[in-house]
Amino acid sequence: MSAIRRKFGDDYQVVTTSSSGSGLPTHGPGPGPQQQLVPKKKRQRFVDKNGRCNVQHGNLGSETSRYLSDLFTTLVDLKWRWNLFIFILTYTVAWLFMASMWWVIAYTRGDLNKAHVGNYTPCVANVYNFPSAFLFFIETEATIGYGYRYITDKCPEGIILFLFQSILGSIVDAFLIGCMFIKMSQPKKRAETLMFSEHAVISMRDGKLTLMFRVGNLRNSHMVSAQIRCKLLKE
């Protein structure tokens, strides 16, 4: 048995069959019960090496609403691809919505048709269509200020929309940028440079049977106030 284990490793187990199997090495002469090697089934870990517990909660009720009630933490815990998707989608929708509002104001006031009239003062100068309204919004939101498109004092609804745009832009920036900053500052990948011993042993230590394993840090930097939490599963 020890010779078989040394030859094939711990990924296989020895089983006894009444006849020799096909395609697998067998041991023992004659047609009687023989031994063959079959791959061991990979048991799913209860706790991953990065500390995440493989436990799925079920039958909790209103689980989705609980996650949405704490939307900021939910966004931080999402994977990077979903964070980037929500980041791009939110900004795109907000930009198109605000550009549409500026276009609606110019359309209802008739600025799109009278913009080229010499003595006419539009709500936003040099806005002729939706692309120009979108460019005006980007210039004001990003504080670029080329000076070609600007709001005039003959449009009170435009002033109110400009104030609403500034408040909405600040809220969206604070929420999304704060979420991305917190996610980038989380040390989740720090566990990739922490090595655990492949096997744990039970040995006498200070007169008591003690479960022992080794933890190694691959980085030269020290871990201050490090804490280790272990979970033991037994029948």
Side-chain angles (χ1 to χ4, degrees), residues 19-235:
S19 60
S20 60
S22 59
L24 293 174
T26 58
H27 302 272
Q34 298 184 6
Q35 294 178 344
Q36 68 179 20
L37 296 175
V38 296
K40 285 185 178 181
K41 294 182 178 180
K42 295 292 184 180
R43 299 183 60 185
Q44 188 175 6
R45 297 176 61 95
F46 177 73
V47 180
D48 289 336
K49 290 190 175 182
N50 59 3
R52 185 179 64 88
C53 295
N54 292 324
V55 178
Q56 182 178 3
H57 303 284
N59 300 325
L60 296 179
S62 64
E63 184 177 356
T64 304
S65 60
R66 294 178 182 271
Y67 281 110
L68 293 179
S69 61
D70 190 9
L71 184 60
F72 188 82
T73 307
T74 302
L75 291 177
V76 172
D77 292 338
L78 288 177
K79 294 184 178 180
W80 269 109
R81 55 178 177 266
W82 292 111
N83 274 106
L84 294 176
F85 174 76
I86 294 174
F87 187 87
I88 297 174
L89 180 64
T90 303
Y91 272 110
T92 303
V93 172
W95 290 349
L96 293 177
F97 172 75
M98 294 305 303
S100 301
M101 295 298 295
W102 286 110
W103 180 85
V104 168
I105 291 178
Y107 178 80
T108 55
R109 288 173 54 90
D111 296 345
L112 302 179
N113 299 324
K114 302 178 183 179
H116 298 283
V117 179
N119 57 354
Y120 179 75
T121 303
C123 180
V124 180
N126 301 314
V127 172
Y128 313 116
N129 46 27
F130 181 78
S132 59
F134 183 79
L135 289 176
F136 168 73
F137 165 74
I138 294 296
E139 292 173 14
T140 55
E141 179 66 22
T143 64
I144 298 175
Y146 292 120
Y148 183 69
R149 299 178 180 88
Y150 54 91
I151 188 172
T152 61
D153 57 352
K154 302 297 183 181
C155 182
E157 59 267 30
I159 298 175
I160 296 175
L161 181 60
F162 180 76
L163 296 176
F164 175 75
Q165 169 187 319
S166 301
I167 296 174
L168 180 62
S170 299
I171 294 175
V172 173
D173 291 341
F175 190 83
L176 293 181
I177 296 178
C179 176
M180 298 294 287
F181 178 77
I182 292 178
K183 189 171 183 62
M184 287 187 296
S185 61
Q186 286 184 338
K188 288 186 177 180
K189 294 299 182 180
R190 184 65 175 88
E192 299 296 332
T193 55
L194 296 178
M195 303 297 295
F196 289 83
S197 57
E198 186 176 355
H199 301 286
V201 297
I202 298 178
S203 178
M204 296 295 296
R205 188 177 182 88
D206 297 333
K208 297 180 181 179
L209 290 176
T210 306
L211 176 65
M212 296 182 293
F213 57 93
R214 301 180 67 183
V215 182
N217 183 16
L218 297 181
R219 296 185 181 273
N220 294 327
S221 58
H222 297 283
M223 300 183 64
V224 181
S225 301
Q227 296 180 356
I228 297 179
R229 182 175 58 184
C230 306
K231 294 184 178 180
L232 176 62
L233 301 180
K234 63 180 182 178
E235 297 180 356

